[in-house]
């Protein structure tokens, strides 16, 4: 009995111990959970505060509360090692910019003879026109440039002397003979000192003279050079190309007024079917120039300053004709008519001011000798046609005529005061 009671007491004691241990475990578990909860809550609060205060602390001027020590001085560089090479030479002085005053361009050359190459001549002529646009008051009285393209001497010069007499300051004269011409004009002549150089390409060692040959492209080059020289004078506003066999049909006042008041240029241009027209077109000019754009006309032109400048500055069609328009293609009959019609047709009267007789046919017009010069001939040239001038009908269509032989001079001088009304 005692043993049973003892066993019961032991069992009861064991149960009490187990209950106490369980209660102790529950208490410890509750405490552990509370610690983890407090730790987690503190961690969340700390992270949240850190994120909220980050931007503020970055911009906060902490240097007001903390002493900043000055940065350490930079470490001095070691002294350079002595070089065995000599020091480099000093750089060359800057190039001095030479400024050319406007007056040097706007003042016409005192002499027409010069050593400028074609490129320099054209550049200078274009600069004169460019500066002149902003210097209208320096242009002065407009002048007409009379450009004579001649084989040699001017046998009809005395007639032209009477034509120009008393009208100084209203005209300029430019004379382009062959390089082989050694003649000279008397000092009292209006042609004295008006010869322009016929040099095409000038080098230091071997100047190459420009010989003008009928039917060759160098005739167009000579015309271009005449224009460029005349453009150096800003007062020149109209430009007439003449030959040594040309004569004026009216007095200076009439011709000057006609040209200065004209609203168009006068470059003859027409489309001519057949071998001497379209038949001269070179297909290798395509696509820059087509057969439909190909034109023919007289080489004896008259043009205003704007068109003259465009002609000397043409860098597309000028070399195109030089390369592909060769005999039996004659550039002097096709280059300007095609170029002007293509780009400036609306500003062109599409006719020449120089009367020529082609009625006998052949490659050259009719020549007039002494016996052919009559009052009827001159009157027919002066008023025997009908045309438009500035949009109005007129019978004054030609101001000049050719081809007159040297032996016609006496009769022309006799008729000039009566028929041509020379002043």
């Amino acid at each position: 009995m005692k043993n049973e009671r003892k066993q019961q007491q032991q069992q009861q004691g064991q149960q009490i111990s187990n209950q106490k241990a369980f209660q102790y475990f529950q208490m410890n578990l509750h405490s552990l959970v509370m610690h983890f909860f407090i730790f987690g809550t503190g961690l969340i609060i700390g992270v949240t505060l850190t994120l909220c205060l980050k931007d503020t602390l970055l911009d906060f001027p902490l240097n007001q509360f903390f002493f900043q020590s000055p940065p350490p001085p930079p470490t001095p560089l070691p002294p350079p090692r002595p070089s065995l090479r000599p020091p480099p030479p000093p750089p060359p002085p800057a190039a001095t910019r030479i400024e050319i005053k406007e007056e040097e361009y706007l003042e016409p050359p005192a002499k027409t003879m010069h050593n400028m190459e074609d490129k320099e001549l054209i550049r200078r002529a274009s600069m004169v026109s460019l500066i002149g646009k902003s210097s209208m008051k320096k242009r002065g009285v407009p002048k007409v440039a009379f450009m004579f393209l001649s084989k040699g001497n001017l046998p009809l010069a005395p007639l032209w002397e009477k034509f120009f007499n008393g009208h100084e300051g209203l005209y300029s004269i430019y004379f382009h003979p062959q390089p082989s011409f050694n003649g000279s004009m008397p000092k009292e002549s209006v042609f004295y000192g008006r010869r322009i150089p016929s040099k095409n390409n000038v080098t230091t060692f071997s100047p190459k003279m420009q010989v003008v040959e009928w039917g060759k492209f160098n005739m167009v080059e000579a015309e271009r050079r005449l224009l460029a020289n005349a453009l150096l004078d800003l007062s020149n506003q109209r430009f007439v190309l003449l030959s040594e066999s040309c004569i004026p049909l009216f007095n200076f006042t009439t011709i000057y007024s006609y040209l200065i008041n004209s609203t168009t240029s006068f470059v003859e241009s027409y489309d001519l079917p057949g071998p001497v027209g379209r038949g001269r077109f070179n297909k290798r000019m395509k696509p820059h120039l087509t057969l439909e754009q190909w034109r023919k006309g007289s080489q004896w032109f008259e043009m205003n300053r704007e068109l003259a400048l465009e002609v000397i500055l043409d860098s597309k069609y000028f070399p195109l004709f030089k390369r592909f328009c060769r005999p039996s293609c004659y550039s002097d009959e096709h280059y300007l008519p095609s170029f002007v019609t293509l780009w400036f047709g609306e500003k062109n009267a599409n006719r020449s001011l120089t009367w020529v007789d082609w009625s006998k046919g052949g490659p050259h017009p009719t020549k007039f000798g002494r016996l052919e010069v009559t009052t009827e001939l001159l009157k027919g040239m002066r008023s025997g046609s009908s045309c438009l001038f500035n949009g109005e009908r007129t019978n004054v269509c030609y101001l000049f005529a050719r081809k007159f032989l040297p032996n016609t001079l006496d009769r022309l001088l006799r008729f000039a005061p009566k028929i041509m009304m020379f002043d």
Side-chain angles (χ1 to χ4, degrees):
M1 292 290 294
K2 292 181 180 181
N3 290 334
E4 293 179 354
R5 189 178 295 171
K6 187 176 183 178
Q7 289 180 352
Q8 290 178 354
Q9 291 177 352
Q10 290 179 351
Q11 291 178 351
Q12 291 177 354
Q14 185 67 33
Q15 291 177 353
I16 293 172
S17 289
N18 291 338
Q19 290 178 353
K20 289 181 178 181
F22 179 75
Q23 292 177 353
Y24 180 76
F25 174 74
Q26 286 183 332
M27 292 176 62
N28 286 338
L29 180 61
H30 179 73
S31 177
L32 182 62
V33 170
M34 289 298 294
H35 280 87
F36 273 108
F37 176 77
I38 294 172
F39 175 76
T41 302
L43 181 62
I44 293 172
I45 294 173
V47 171
T48 303
L49 290 175
T50 301
L51 295 176
C52 293
L53 297 177
K54 181 179 180 180
D55 295 335
T56 304
L57 291 176
L58 287 176
D59 296 333
F60 191 77
L62 296 176
N63 57 350
Q64 296 182 3
F65 299 97
F66 297 96
F67 174 76
Q68 293 182 343
S69 60
T75 305
L77 297 175
R81 296 181 180 180
S83 176
L84 299 178
R85 298 181 179 179
T96 304
R97 182 179 179 182
I98 301 176
E99 295 186 358
I100 301 178
K101 298 180 181 179
E102 287 188 3
E103 289 73 13
E104 297 183 18
Y105 279 99
L106 299 181
E107 188 67 25
K111 298 181 179 180
T112 55
M113 292 296 291
H114 52 75
N115 293 322
M116 285 187 286
E117 300 181 25
D118 283 357
K119 289 184 179 180
E120 173 62 18
L121 173 63
I122 291 173
R123 186 194 69 83
R124 190 172 184 88
S126 62
M127 285 297 298
V128 169
S129 298
L130 180 63
I131 296 174
K133 289 182 179 180
S134 60
S135 305
M136 297 292 291
K137 62 180 181 180
K138 298 182 180 180
R139 178 177 296 176
V141 179
K143 296 191 295 186
V144 177
F146 292 85
M147 307 178 300
F148 291 85
L149 181 61
S150 172
K151 297 177 181 178
N153 202 357
L154 297 175
L156 302 179
L159 178 66
W160 286 101
E161 298 275 2
K162 284 186 173 293
F163 171 78
F164 289 118
N165 185 37
H167 302 284
E168 291 75 13
L170 298 178
Y171 64 86
S172 300
I173 295 175
Y174 301 89
F175 174 43
H176 187 302
Q178 292 283 19
S180 59
F181 175 68
N182 296 321
S184 61
M185 296 290 181
K187 289 186 178 181
E188 62 272 13
S189 171
V190 294
F191 294 95
Y192 179 77
R194 303 311 300 172
R195 178 176 179 173
I196 71 167
S198 55
K199 297 176 182 177
N200 182 23
N201 298 311
V202 181
T203 63
T204 306
F205 304 102
S206 59
K208 181 181 178 182
M209 308 302 287
Q210 184 183 55
V211 179
V212 180
E213 303 170 274
W214 181 84
K216 298 291 184 68
F217 189 78
N218 47 41
M219 184 172 288
V220 176
E221 292 175 324
E223 296 172 4
R224 191 189 199 199
R225 193 168 182 84
L226 275 165
L227 279 174
N229 278 275
L231 283 167
L232 294 177
D233 188 343
L234 187 62
S235 298
N236 289 332
Q237 295 300 305
R238 308 292 300 200
F239 303 80
V240 186
L241 181 67
L242 302 163
S243 74
E244 71 273 18
S245 66
C246 287
I247 66 167
L249 293 176
F250 296 87
N251 59 28
F252 182 88
T253 303
T254 302
I255 291 180
Y256 177 86
S257 177
Y258 194 101
L259 297 179
I260 293 297
N261 294 315
S262 174
T263 59
T264 63
S265 295
F266 298 88
V267 179
E268 187 181 48
S269 175
Y270 54 90
D271 182 14
L272 180 64
V276 296
R278 289 195 173 196
R280 294 176 178 176
F281 177 72
N282 191 331
K283 295 180 180 180
R284 289 182 290 179
M285 289 185 170
K286 295 180 180 180
H288 306 293
L289 190 69
T290 65
L291 180 61
E292 292 72 24
Q293 298 166 338
W294 182 256
R295 294 293 184 272
K296 179 182 171 67
S298 171
Q299 75 175 104
W300 310 106
F301 61 79
E302 191 285 332
M303 60 181 62
N304 59 25
R305 188 175 185 90
E306 290 74 20
L307 181 55
L309 182 62
E310 294 289 347
V311 170
I312 69 165
L313 292 178
D314 172 34
S315 60
K316 180 178 180 180
Y317 299 94
F318 183 81
L320 187 71
F321 273 79
K322 185 174 184 179
R323 183 178 180 185
F324 295 117
C325 184
R326 300 179 179 181
S328 59
C329 174
Y330 305 106
S331 293
D332 58 293
E333 296 180 1
H334 295 282
Y335 166 61
L336 277 181
S338 299
F339 174 72
V340 173
T341 302
L342 183 60
W343 295 106
F344 311 100
E346 71 282 357
K347 299 179 181 179
N348 183 34
N350 203 30
R351 61 185 176 91
S352 175
L353 295 179
T354 302
W355 191 95
V356 183
D357 182 9
W358 289 97
S359 61
K360 295 182 180 180
H364 301 284
T366 301
K367 295 180 181 181
F368 297 98
R370 180 179 180 276
L371 297 179
E372 284 82 20
V373 178
T374 63
T375 56
E376 291 76 13
L377 175 68
L378 296 176
K379 288 180 179 179
M381 293 176 177
R382 285 165 52 92
S383 58
S385 303
S386 178
C387 60
L388 292 177
F389 177 75
N390 291 348
E392 296 183 1
R393 184 65 57 181
T394 179
N395 61 354
V396 179
C397 302
Y398 297 102
L399 305 182
F400 313 96
R402 63 187 302 264
K403 288 180 140 184
F404 288 82
L405 297 177
N407 63 7
T408 62
L409 179 61
D410 290 341
R411 293 178 69 89
L412 290 171
L413 289 174
R414 206 177 339 144
F415 292 144
K418 300 177 182 179
I419 299 176
M420 301 152 180
M421 304 297 177
F422 279 14
D423 300 338

